[in-house]
Amino acid sequence: MSPRFSAKCAILFLATLLALAFKAKAGSIVVYWGQDAREGTLTDTCASGKYGIVNIAFLSVFGNGKKPQVNLAGHCDPSSNGCQRVSRGIHNCQNQGIKVMLSIVGGSGGYTLTSPDEARGVAEYLWNNFLSGNSNSRPLGDAILDGIDFDIEGGERHYVVLASRLSELSRGGRKVYLTAAPQCPFPDNWLDKALQTGLFDYVWIQFYNNPQCEYNTNNPQSFKDSWNKWTSSIPARKFFVGLPASRAAAGNGFVTTDVLKSQVLPFVQGSPKYGGVMLWNKYSDDQSGYSSRIRDSV
């Protein structure tokens, strides 16, 4: 073998190693879309090239005998089937390899699960109306979403049954991703038992509106302890740092992009379960340009 050939092989080998190392480190940016009509369409959101996963927010009413109902703020009127046009945006996103989830509940108080049977019923509603099941009145049209995001902040604790039934329904067919957005204090008041099942793929921890575990440059250890606790205790595939995309997007917990890139990301990327960054929400990101400033570092 000639020295020149050997040198070329060595360069290719090193390039391959660097590419693999970069791929192992690379994460995605997740964003919540649907709660501000000023944020643009779902198609525009995905066409921006900034996001790997979009959570449609929210299915805000379910349980306690109520008919489940989506609320996409000023984007469309679900009562007149006006939100079925969102289906085109879902298809457009998925055609670009972007996962689209339906996020259930958020901070509203219009939900609860009063029994295991009701939890199973809600799971079957989600399956038939948003996933691979069949219904004559799908609120978001004919598109099949990639999964369900649990942004639970109240209600009775039957979410283990809800997650388990969704998992059962998807066996042998198209993968249904289960994701969750728990508050950073561990364990989460509402989702801990569900998260312990191992059924959840991605967990974006809300490191905001919770001063005891947010990132603070004067005391970064509380954040680090919380991140380590979550990633070592919950059997999910990937974990994401959940942050407000602007100061106005949350009461507290905003982290500047410079601090995120120089202090937060170097720490969390040391975890084999690191998945990326979640931002609340699309409109705030539009205003701040947060994702554009961090995407090359995530």
Side-chain angles (χ1 to χ4, degrees):
M1 182 182 292
S2 70
R4 179 179 294 179
F5 186 74
S6 297
K8 286 183 177 179
C9 287
I11 291 170
L12 286 171
F13 179 70
L14 288 171
T16 301
L17 287 178
L18 287 171
L20 289 172
F22 178 79
K23 184 177 181 181
K25 172 185 170 182
S28 296
I29 297 177
V30 181
V31 74
Y32 280 83
W33 174 92
Q35 286 300 294
D36 197 311
R38 297 171 294 178
E39 66 197 344
T41 67
L42 187 57
T43 292
D44 291 340
T45 296
C46 292
S48 71
K50 299 175 183 177
Y51 314 112
I53 300 173
V54 178
N55 293 327
I56 296 178
F58 292 104
L59 181 89
S60 57
V61 175
F62 63 79
N64 201 24
K66 299 176 183 176
K67 180 182 178 180
Q69 183 175 324
V70 295
N71 174 2
L72 301 188
H75 284 284
C76 54
D77 179 10
S79 65
S80 63
N81 293 324
C83 294
Q84 290 185 338
R85 67 174 181 265
V86 175
S87 183
R88 178 179 298 178
I90 296 168
H91 285 301
N92 289 338
C93 293
Q94 292 172 332
N95 287 339
Q96 297 173 63
I98 298 168
K99 293 182 179 67
V100 185
M101 314 290 182
L102 174 66
S103 186
I104 61 174
V105 304
S108 74
Y111 61 92
T112 189
L113 293 172
T114 58
S115 69
D117 284 344
E118 186 165 63
R120 281 186 282 270
V122 170
E124 286 161 13
Y125 175 87
L126 293 170
W127 173 258
N128 287 321
N129 287 275
F130 300 99
L131 300 169
S132 295
N134 295 300
S135 170
N136 293 325
S137 57
R138 293 172 68 94
L140 300 182
D142 65 357
I144 298 173
L145 290 161
D146 292 289
I148 301 297
D149 175 55
F150 288 54
D151 185 7
I152 307 295
E153 298 179 16
E156 295 298 324
R157 295 172 177 83
H158 295 294
Y159 299 110
V160 171
V161 179
L162 178 58
S164 298
R165 184 59 181 148
L166 285 169
S167 180
E168 289 169 4
L169 288 166
S170 67
R171 286 176 190 164
R174 176 170 171 164
K175 164 74 174 174
V176 172
Y177 289 85
L178 296 182
T179 69
Q183 307 288 311
C184 59
F186 188 90
D188 184 80
N189 285 336
W190 310 104
L191 284 175
D192 182 59
K193 289 183 179 179
L195 291 170
Q196 294 288 355
T197 62
L199 295 173
F200 284 78
D201 297 281
Y202 307 137
V203 176
W204 14 88
I205 309 157
Q206 294 187 45
F207 287 104
Y208 53 95
N209 294 334
N210 289 285
Q212 66 269 43
C213 44
E214 295 166 3
Y215 191 83
N216 185 322
T217 54
N218 295 321
N219 179 26
Q221 197 58 46
S222 58
F223 166 85
K224 292 179 178 180
D225 289 345
S226 179
W227 173 264
N228 286 337
K229 185 66 174 177
W230 276 99
T231 56
S232 63
S233 303
I234 298 299
R237 287 174 51 199
K238 296 292 182 182
F239 291 83
F240 296 68
V241 179
L243 296 170
S246 70
R247 293 187 188 278
N252 46 269
F254 178 75
V255 177
T256 67
T257 56
D258 287 343
V259 169
L260 183 76
K261 290 188 288 186
S262 65
Q263 300 179 36
V264 178
L265 289 178
F267 170 73
V268 297
Q269 286 170 343
S271 169
K273 289 191 170 185
Y274 165 76
V277 174
M278 176 274 279
L279 296 176
W280 173 265
N281 60 11
K282 171 61 166 51
Y283 177 70
S284 296
D285 189 35
D286 289 342
Q287 299 305 297
S288 67
Y290 200 97
S291 63
S292 296
R293 294 189 178 99
I294 68 169
R295 60 180 173 179
D296 290 338
S297 300
V298 172

